[in-house]
Amino acid sequence: MIALVNPKSANWGFRVPNSLLTLGAFLEGRYDYTIIDENLGVNAVNGLAKLIQNGVKYIGITVMPALQLRGAYAISKEIKTRFPDVKIIWGGYFPSMHPNTVLKSPYIDFVLKGHAEYSFIELLDSLEGKPGAKALNQIAGLSFKHDGVISHNQKAEPIDPDLIPRLPYHKVDVDKYLNFGKTYLGPRTIGYHSSVGCPFLCGFCAVAGIYKGKWLGRSAELTASDIIFLKEKYNIGAVEFHDNNFFVAEKRVYDFAKAVNGLGIGWWGEARPDTVMKFSDDTWQIMAEAGCKMIFYGAETSNDELLKLMHKGGTQNAQTLLDLAEKSKKYGIVPELSFVLGNPTDNVTRDIETDLKFIKKIKAINPAAEIVIYTYSPVNFEDSEMSLAAKLKGFDYPKSLEEWVSPKWQNFDLRKNPLTPWLKPHHFKIIRNFEKTLNAYYPTNSDLKIRGWKRSLLQLMGSWRYKTDFYTAPYEIMLTQKLLKYRQPEIEGFAQS
Ligand code: SF4
């Protein structure tokens, strides 16, 4: 039997572990496996110790940065120390971006990069010595070490999502994930992946670093049939499409929306502003009718020159964002616009202030628009100008897992606290003070608890500051937000409850 582990990744509002279920879909009928999800409150180390005593030899761990990385490291260290013969295999975003750092650790044996579901099976076949199994150096997407030397095989091509069988939901207690209360999208929200990658090559984006401009989508028909199945079997009320770019192909979106129209589910996904601005009015209309309530967009910046440095590609510019705010308002689909501030430019303060003014323009057009402000964190994307500029300005990554899990680096990939040398404390102050004021004057609609007098109170507190552009030391707002338990959707997600 194989154990697949999802280390704790969120304190609340977590979703079914889709990456492990996808791996499970390929293991079905080949190897026995079980899924351990720490998000459900189980202790992975205790569970694994019991499984190992019953014969488990291989442990696959999915690893995102920050909280999940810390958990994955702790689990691997404990298990490898107690059971040195057990093979520990890391996959997911973090090891895909930092395979050398991961394999330098004595607690991890293998890294599988990208979508390596077939490679996982080939690795198991090889380790089990099955007849005809590939040698380690022939397995695509695998990084491994031999006599202390780390080797990286050629990358594994993403799997056509149409070839992925329906996920083995019976392997997890789906109800436990759905019973987290109502979200802005509706009750019983599930996460779903309908595509992999993205056709663009934005120089600040890890997706571009991993997929290098490749995008593959599950057909509208299969996607809709899965959603209908989930509605019938688990009575889902809402779907978060966790695709990197759900809205790449207009026809797929149109056909999907038509197929689920009338099901009564709310849905959310990520898009590029310039792509959806090219969609026809018919497509916007059917999206709205079929329950698309909110779309997350990478707005990045209002500075068109900076967009070029970012290699944003496509036709996006500041005007696209203003037009998008207008169009979204017309169709009642909330735009969730994420800006990346604090880029490595020649005048960081000026660029931040310009974007903050632009955000106010967006809000004036569409007050329902949700604004997410991130600070630029370099991604390990060697061939991007942004990455090079960051290195020239003195940024570098930790060289060991121990350093990655140290308090200093814990929040790095939340893009709220990057350790970039050109961002000074006063830059953070400008951004955070503006954010506090913005969130007071325009409390998010997605926090279902902030309604009525609470909303009016916040707006009153933020009003004079917002109107006079005076954001310094907004202590009264911070105190009120604390008392009202104002959730920070810009950190926790707007679609969450
Ligand atoms: S469009 Fe979005 S997902 Fe695609 S590369 Fe650019 S930032 Fe990444």
Side-chain angles (χ1 to χ4, degrees):
M1 182 182 271
I2 322 296
L4 303 178
V5 182
N6 192 33
K8 192 173 177 65
S9 59
N11 291 318
W12 57 280
F14 39 83
R15 304 285 177 241
V16 287
N18 278 316
S19 57
L20 296 185
L21 286 170
T22 306
L23 200 49
F26 287 88
L27 288 170
E28 291 278 321
R30 293 180 164 112
Y31 286 94
D32 269 353
Y33 67 98
T34 189
I35 292 176
I36 296 179
D37 188 349
E38 282 201 320
N39 284 327
L40 295 182
V42 293
N43 181 309
V45 169
N46 291 348
L48 288 170
K50 278 191 202 126
L51 289 168
I52 291 165
Q53 276 146 15
N54 287 320
V56 161
K57 293 190 286 183
Y58 309 109
I59 297 172
I61 306 182
T62 183
V63 191
M64 291 289 285
L67 180 62
Q68 193 161 54
L69 173 61
R70 293 203 296 284
Y73 176 76
I75 294 165
S76 304
K77 184 176 177 186
E78 174 85 17
I79 293 296
K80 197 71 182 170
T81 306
R82 284 168 62 185
F83 308 99
D85 292 337
V86 167
K87 300 293 180 214
I88 297 191
I89 305 150
W90 277 26
Y93 167 83
F94 182 83
S96 294
M97 298 304 283
H98 304 279
N100 276 319
T101 311
V102 172
L103 285 177
K104 273 189 214 149
S105 165
Y107 311 123
I108 294 107
D109 298 289
F110 300 101
V111 162
L112 283 166
K113 292 170 290 176
H115 282 258
E117 284 81 4
Y118 287 128
S119 307
F120 189 71
I121 290 162
E122 288 171 356
L123 174 61
L124 296 175
D125 289 349
S126 181
L127 295 173
E128 285 290 292
K130 287 206 170 173
K134 289 183 175 172
L136 291 183
N137 62 6
Q138 295 172 325
I139 299 173
L142 180 69
S143 293
F144 62 103
K145 47 197 170 189
H146 183 67
D147 289 339
V149 178
I150 296 172
S151 302
H152 305 286
N153 295 347
Q154 82 277 17
K155 79 191 234 302
E157 288 303 319
I159 297 168
D160 179 348
D162 277 354
L163 301 179
I164 299 175
R166 178 164 291 154
L167 301 190
Y169 291 104
H170 61 278
K171 284 287 192 177
V172 293
D173 186 344
V174 174
D175 270 337
K176 282 196 175 155
Y177 297 92
L178 298 181
N179 286 338
F180 279 105
K182 203 172 173 201
T183 68
Y184 179 73
L185 303 175
R188 295 176 69 78
T189 304
I190 201 162
Y192 182 91
H193 272 118
S194 81
S195 66
V196 291
C198 175
F200 292 87
L201 285 166
C202 305
F204 54 91
C205 176
V207 176
I210 293 174
Y211 294 99
K212 309 282 185 200
K214 192 157 194 168
W215 179 85
L216 292 168
R218 192 165 174 83
S219 69
E221 195 187 1
L222 283 176
T223 304
S225 121
D226 284 345
I227 299 305
I228 292 165
F229 162 81
L230 289 166
K231 173 79 184 168
E232 287 171 357
K233 183 149 173 97
Y234 299 108
N235 192 27
I236 60 161
V239 184
E240 287 170 2
F241 286 101
H242 292 161
D243 307 34
N244 303 123
N245 195 343
F246 177 81
F247 295 84
V248 169
E250 180 175 0
K251 183 166 182 337
R252 191 182 85 109
V253 174
Y254 182 91
D255 290 348
F256 167 76
K258 261 217 126 56
V260 299
N261 196 7
L263 273 189
I265 52 161
W267 46 283
W268 168 97
E270 298 195 18
R272 275 182 65 102
D274 50 355
T275 306
V276 295
M277 281 308 291
K278 289 182 193 137
F279 283 11
S280 69
D281 286 350
D282 282 353
T283 304
W284 274 87
Q285 187 63 40
I286 189 74
M287 278 161 41
E289 281 173 22
C292 179
K293 291 199 171 170
M294 188 181 249
I295 299 177
F296 181 99
Y297 299 97
E300 326 308 358
T301 175
S302 60
N303 180 333
D304 293 346
E305 284 309 305
L306 190 49
L307 279 176
K308 282 187 198 139
L309 175 73
M310 289 175 154
H311 285 246
K312 184 71 187 173
T315 54
Q316 180 174 329
N317 56 31
Q319 189 57 45
T320 319
L321 301 177
L322 299 174
D323 295 343
L324 176 68
E326 188 80 55
K327 189 143 203 163
S328 307
K329 188 174 165 190
K330 179 175 169 197
Y331 288 97
I333 299 175
V334 175
E336 197 181 339
L337 295 162
S338 105
F339 286 82
V340 180
L341 272 50
N343 297 286
T345 59
D346 57 357
N347 193 332
V348 179
T349 309
R350 177 204 60 204
D351 290 337
I352 289 174
E353 285 173 347
T354 306
D355 275 337
L356 297 185
K357 282 199 188 103
F358 183 78
I359 287 170
K360 291 183 80 167
K361 265 173 130 176
I362 296 261
K363 277 293 205 179
I365 295 171
N366 185 346
E370 300 281 8
I371 304 294
V372 189
I373 301 178
Y374 289 126
T375 34
Y376 168 71
S377 318
V379 294
N380 205 4
F381 185 0
E382 296 303 341
D383 32 1
S384 98
E385 270 175 56
M386 295 283 282
S387 214
L388 286 176
K391 281 198 173 146
L392 286 175
K393 281 180 177 264
F395 175 85
D396 207 0
Y397 286 101
K399 295 282 181 273
S400 70
L401 281 184
E402 287 71 23
E403 204 185 334
W404 267 111
V405 299
S406 68
K408 184 178 160 199
W409 282 89
Q410 273 176 17
N411 291 325
F412 169 74
D413 264 293
L414 291 179
R415 295 194 284 172
K416 285 282 166 187
N417 181 24
L419 301 173
T420 44
W422 60 90
L423 267 188
K424 306 294 177 214
H426 71 272
H427 292 126
F428 286 105
K429 265 203 187 133
I430 295 172
I431 296 170
R432 299 301 157 236
N433 289 345
F434 174 81
E435 239 179 351
K436 294 282 173 214
T437 308
L438 177 76
N439 289 341
Y441 191 55
Y442 291 108
T444 173
N445 284 315
S446 67
D447 189 337
L448 303 180
K449 295 187 302 300
I450 302 292
R451 293 283 184 265
W453 67 268
K454 292 181 182 172
R455 200 175 169 80
S456 306
L457 178 63
L458 274 174
Q459 284 175 319
L460 187 69
M461 314 249 23
S463 172
W464 71 270
R465 285 180 175 275
Y466 193 82
K467 287 179 181 159
T468 57
D469 289 328
F470 184 79
Y471 312 119
T472 311
Y475 298 126
E476 77 287 3
I477 292 178
M478 289 158 75
L479 182 66
T480 311
Q481 289 177 338
K482 196 169 172 200
L483 289 173
L484 295 181
K485 297 197 174 72
Y486 183 82
R487 200 169 52 75
Q488 278 191 281
E490 66 276 14
I491 292 177
E492 296 159 19
F494 284 93
Q496 314 277 356
S497 57

